[in-house]
Amino acid sequence: MNIGKAAKLSNLTVKAVRYYANIGLVKPQQNIFSGYREYTSEEVAKLKFIGKARKFDFSINECKELLSLYEDKNRTSKEVKKITLEKITQIDSKLKDLRDLRNELSFLASNCNGDDRPNCPILEELSKN
Amino acid sequence: MNIGKAAKLSNLTVKAVRYYANIGLVKPQQNIFSGYREYTSEEVAKLKFIGKARKFDFSINECKELLSLYEDKNRTSKEVKKITLEKITQIDSKLKDLRDLRNELSFLASNCNGDDRPNCPILEELSKN
DNA sequence: ATACACCTTCCTGTAAGGGGAAGGTAAAGG
DNA sequence: CCTTTACCTTCCCCTTACAGGAAGGTGTAT
């Protein structure tokens, strides 16, 4: 099938699917005469796989890793779990940063009258030495 | 003072400070003969301000806004508070997405033995139709 | 035959700088 | 006075993961 259908079936944009072909993530055959990419249903399955992994915040490189593990019938679940746990650690770190940030901003905002006067503790904090 | 000192005093990199000059965020005078940028202590204060705002996850454009509010002696605290509250809303949304993500990944990981056998619920989930 | 949908490659842009090359300038040391 | 060293300049490419759009080829329905 052509790229449009493959994109639709995998819930990705044509642009993204073409991008994955260009970087060698999912490389379909290309019709010699028309130049059109021709996707098999197995390739569509890989695209779906990638789409889901991307939603799980895995980077393209991590998707590449996961995909090769997925294709390797001899891989152990240990390898996959390791990548997943690393990802969870990353997310925890991001969560902490965002929570801290939110607390500070929220503290500043709650101390700001938000009225028509110029007095503003938020800017004061930002301009502190 | 030269850019190196300004960068050190504001806890920014020289690259970042030069970048801010290029995009017109903090534009110092430039010595006509040497071409060196010459920073005043007021400009360093603005750099510090930006550095802090960036740490608070404000984008460059938001920094520009905050900076102009900061410089405008007639601005009201309402304007600043509005931007800050919007930022908090953004952060809350990010936090929710990350939490959901973490829950799903953590669920998958906890169901994966992580042993030397190939059976892996994480990959199974990713390859589901 | 033509209209229209779909496909191709190629180029540019995104956010916020980092890395590094090639070369000019300033200040310290001998 | 000369050289080394440190610092400065501009310029260009790299990063992530595509999106947008131009110019042009292909396939199909009417």
Side-chain angles (χ1 to χ4, degrees):
Chain A
M1 75 194 79
N2 287 344
I3 198 170
K5 193 170 175 192
K8 191 159 288 175
L9 288 179
S10 56
N11 287 316
L12 297 173
T13 65
V14 168
K15 280 285 187 184
V17 175
R18 200 173 281 134
Y19 176 70
Y20 297 154
N22 287 338
I23 63 173
L25 194 51
V26 176
K27 239 179 149 46
Q29 271 206 308
Q30 237 168 329
N31 186 301
I32 305 175
F33 301 107
S34 67
Y36 286 17
R37 292 177 180 80
E38 293 172 343
Y39 287 85
T40 65
S41 49
E42 204 183 315
E43 283 158 344
V44 170
K46 287 186 196 172
L47 288 174
K48 279 185 193 168
F49 180 98
I50 293 165
K52 289 197 185 182
R54 293 284 301 132
K55 275 194 190 154
F56 280 103
D57 208 37
F58 288 101
S59 73
I60 291 288
N61 266 334
E62 287 167 332
C63 286
K64 198 173 266 178
E65 259 187 287
L66 286 173
L67 200 54
S68 69
L69 292 177
Y70 173 55
E71 293 183 287
D72 178 5
K73 292 304 165 204
N74 293 318
R75 57 102 180 88
T76 64
S77 70
K78 190 161 55 178
E79 302 173 79
V80 183
K81 186 163 184 173
K82 178 165 175 287
I83 297 180
T84 304
L85 289 178
E86 283 170 7
K87 175 58 62 182
I88 291 178
T89 302
Q90 280 175 32
I91 293 176
D92 282 344
S93 165
K94 264 196 213 171
L95 274 172
K96 181 186 182 328
D97 289 349
L98 276 181
R99 276 196 205 106
D100 290 351
L101 195 55
R102 193 203 187 286
N103 286 340
E104 294 186 72
L105 281 182
S106 145
F107 175 75
L108 287 177
S110 69
N111 283 323
C112 173
N113 291 319
D115 55 21
D116 294 324
R117 285 172 299 172
N119 173 276
C120 180
I122 299 172
L123 291 183
E124 277 164 28
E125 169 65 29
L126 289 177
S127 58
K128 253 193 208 161
N129 240 339
Chain B
M1 75 195 77
N2 288 343
I3 196 170
K5 192 170 176 191
K8 191 158 289 177
L9 289 179
S10 55
N11 287 315
L12 297 172
T13 65
V14 169
K15 279 283 188 184
V17 175
R18 200 173 281 137
Y19 176 69
Y20 297 153
N22 287 338
I23 63 173
L25 195 51
V26 177
K27 240 179 149 44
Q29 271 206 309
Q30 238 168 328
N31 187 301
I32 305 176
F33 301 107
S34 66
Y36 286 16
R37 292 177 179 79
E38 292 172 343
Y39 287 85
T40 65
S41 50
E42 204 183 317
E43 282 158 344
V44 170
K46 286 185 196 172
L47 289 174
K48 278 186 193 169
F49 181 98
I50 293 165
K52 289 198 185 182
R54 294 283 302 132
K55 275 194 191 156
F56 280 103
D57 208 36
F58 288 102
S59 72
I60 293 286
N61 266 333
E62 287 167 331
C63 287
K64 199 174 267 178
E65 260 186 286
L66 287 173
L67 200 55
S68 69
L69 291 176
Y70 173 55
E71 293 183 288
D72 177 7
K73 292 303 165 207
N74 292 318
R75 58 97 177 93
T76 64
S77 71
K78 190 161 56 177
E79 302 172 79
V80 182
K81 186 164 184 172
K82 179 166 173 289
I83 297 180
T84 303
L85 289 178
E86 282 169 9
K87 176 57 61 182
I88 291 178
T89 301
Q90 282 175 31
I91 292 176
D92 282 343
S93 165
K94 263 196 214 173
L95 274 173
K96 180 186 181 326
D97 290 348
L98 276 182
R99 274 193 210 108
D100 290 351
L101 195 56
R102 195 206 185 282
N103 285 340
E104 293 186 70
L105 280 182
S106 145
F107 175 75
L108 287 177
S110 68
N111 283 322
C112 173
N113 291 319
D115 56 20
D116 292 324
R117 285 172 300 171
N119 174 276
C120 179
I122 299 172
L123 291 184
E124 277 163 28
E125 170 65 30
L126 287 177
S127 58
K128 254 192 205 162
N129 240 338

